[in-house]
Amino acid sequence: MKIARIIGSTISTIKDPKVMNTKLLICQETDPSGKEEIGKPYVAIDLVDAGTDDLVLTCHGSAARQTHLTMDTPVDAVIMAVIDHLELDKEIVYRM
């Protein structure tokens, strides 16, 4: 799993039939506090109705294909949770 911030969305009118009717969001991985950006942005299928600026948990690789909506689909990343708050070393570093 990775912590990421939603930085945008993308629309694809032509895609594999197994991922039709899915929302595609652009994610930017962050450090554990949710403050510093890490790496390059990536696209993930949204399973939880996340939106721009939300901090989310994403799952990647074969684990991304283990949900009832993504089983046997050509998916490499899914958004599986919206983060309400983050606590590090007994200190809340992010609150929705």
Side-chain angles (χ1 to χ4, degrees), residues 1 4 21 26-27 32 55 63-64 66 68 70 88-89:
M1 285 188 285
N21 302 317
I26 303 169
C27 303
L55 205 58
Q66 300 301 312
H68 71 282
T70 59
L88 293 174
D89 297 324

Side-chain angles (χ1 to χ4, degrees), residues 56-71:
V56 298
L57 287 178
T58 61
C59 192
H60 301 262
S62 62
R65 296 181 291 279
Q66 300 301 312
T67 75
H68 71 282
L69 295 175
T70 59
M71 189 70 65

